[in-house]
Amino acid sequence: MKKHGQKSDHRTLKSHSKEKINKPSRQTKPAKPKNPYFYGIHAVSMLLKRRPEEVLSLFIQMRDDGQMSEEHRRIVASAEQFGISIQSAQRERLTELCGSQQHQGVVALARPTPMADEAILDELMDKDEALFLVLDQITDAHNLGACLRSACAMGVDAVIIPRHQSAPITPTVAKVSVGASEVIPVISVTNLARTLEKLKKSGVFVFGTALDDTAKPAFECDFGGKVAIIMGSEGDGMRRLTQTMCDTLVYIPMAEVVDRPQSLNVSVATGMVLYEVMRQRQGFGQMSLV
């Protein structure tokens, strides 16, 4: 017959044994970051065009009749040229892979989009009509993607973002930018003020957008020559130090409508300012809405 004390000791020993087994090892290495899943017809098409060697797998949604759409067929043909693994998948599986329902039936597993080397600024600053877009504190991926799309369409040479106060180049950015994130150089800098000072020393005139009493209407500014356009976040605008680096502050005039919004979405404002730059440089007349 077991004594009461012996039974208690047995349970205590068993409990200690479990604690020892369940204790996590200090030598456990952190998991490596996973490669992202890019999605959307334009984003994946540009990915295959610009850096196919970094695409690891392609997932395609088949139609109900078991066939591929013409757009999907072109993407598959591009992937086959580089020996990329191609798999068919249901819509729900694609949504699970990329975390979005906006995948348009195509998802690609690929290495992350690399940032452009800051050294290319030295080359770009030598251009007589160099045009830079500086995005200060744009932390929303959709806004960043839309800004990159407009920048690419309006002939911007490079986009400059701060390293620690900006959205990174994610698959969502690539999707919203319709592949522009693979085309236009995006340079991430540690010290934005120092980079702006470097641009100014090379003859780049810096415009900052702000709702300020000293700001000029965008259409009254001369955007010829070497120019940098700074766009700040919707909530806070440019940081104070960034604003002190501007040569001129500009704003976008709006209609005098009762209770109208006091500001524009940053990606919309970016497109409008960049269009004015392009209009002046290419000799377009005033935009006419018909």
Side-chain angles (χ1 to χ4, degrees):
M1 181 177 179
K2 294 181 181 179
K3 295 181 180 180
H4 179 72
Q6 290 178 327
K7 188 173 183 181
S8 176
D9 290 342
H10 175 70
R11 288 178 177 176
T12 301
L13 179 62
K14 188 174 181 181
S15 176
H16 286 174
S17 177
K18 285 184 178 180
E19 289 178 4
K20 185 175 181 180
I21 293 174
N22 293 335
K23 187 176 181 179
S25 172
R26 293 181 179 179
Q27 298 181 349
T28 302
K29 295 182 179 180
K32 293 183 179 179
K34 296 181 179 179
N35 288 314
Y37 287 92
F38 292 82
Y39 59 96
I41 289 172
H42 295 292
V44 173
S45 295
M46 192 56 65
L47 182 61
L48 288 167
K49 182 177 182 179
R50 305 290 289 202
R51 50 189 188 101
E53 70 284 353
E54 297 189 353
V55 179
L56 308 176
S57 300
L58 180 68
F59 302 85
I60 293 287
Q61 178 183 338
M62 307 298 286
R63 295 189 311 205
D64 293 340
D65 60 4
Q67 302 298 315
M68 286 186 290
S69 68
E70 186 59 34
E71 291 175 315
H72 287 174
R73 192 173 292 112
R74 285 196 293 268
I75 290 174
V76 168
S78 297
E80 287 176 339
Q81 294 179 14
F82 298 96
I84 297 169
S85 170
I86 303 170
Q87 303 176 42
S88 62
Q90 297 295 321
R91 178 177 179 81
E92 293 74 17
R93 174 57 175 160
L94 297 182
T95 300
E96 180 184 351
L97 288 174
C98 68
S100 172
Q101 296 182 2
Q102 309 302 315
H103 49 69
Q104 298 176 308
V106 56
V107 172
L109 174 64
R111 295 184 177 88
T113 304
M115 291 290 182
D117 192 327
E118 190 172 348
I120 71 168
L121 281 177
D122 295 329
E123 177 183 346
L124 294 174
M125 287 186 299
D126 288 338
K127 295 180 59 177
D128 292 337
E129 294 284 315
L131 177 57
F132 302 98
L133 174 64
V134 181
L135 300 175
D136 190 21
Q137 302 188 101
I138 307 303
T139 57
D140 180 80
H142 291 84
N143 279 337
L144 178 57
C147 287
L148 295 183
R149 180 176 183 175
S150 294
C152 194
M154 296 294 113
V156 171
D157 291 299
V159 175
I160 301 171
I161 61 176
R163 184 160 299 165
H164 301 298
Q165 292 174 304
S166 173
I169 306 299
T170 64
T172 297
V173 172
K175 170 65 169 61
V176 176
S177 75
V178 293
S181 59
E182 296 291 341
V183 180
I184 191 167
V186 181
I187 303 168
S188 178
V189 299
T190 303
N191 189 315
L192 184 56
R194 187 166 58 216
T195 300
L196 291 172
E197 184 64 35
K198 180 179 180 180
L199 292 175
K200 288 163 68 74
K201 287 181 178 179
S202 71
V204 176
F205 197 88
V206 178
F207 291 93
T209 54
L211 293 175
D212 187 273
D213 292 339
T214 63
K216 296 172 58 177
F219 61 81
E220 291 184 5
C221 297
D222 181 359
F223 292 115
K226 302 179 182 182
V227 168
I229 306 292
I230 305 179
M231 306 298 299
S233 67
E234 289 180 43
D236 301 325
M238 293 181 290
R239 287 172 291 174
R240 183 190 61 79
L241 182 57
T242 304
Q243 184 165 332
T244 63
M245 302 301 296
C246 298
D247 295 304
T248 295
L249 296 179
V250 304
Y251 73 95
I252 300 171
M254 291 186 281
E256 293 298 331
V257 178
V258 177
D259 294 332
R260 67 165 169 78
Q262 295 302 304
S263 64
L264 297 168
N265 173 274
V266 64
S267 63
V268 173
T270 298
M272 295 177 72
V273 174
L274 291 179
Y275 179 82
E276 176 61 21
V277 176
M278 188 184 72
R279 185 191 68 79
Q280 291 186 19
R281 293 184 172 200
Q282 299 194 9
F284 297 162
Q286 291 289 345
M287 183 171 58
S288 175
L289 300 178
V290 179

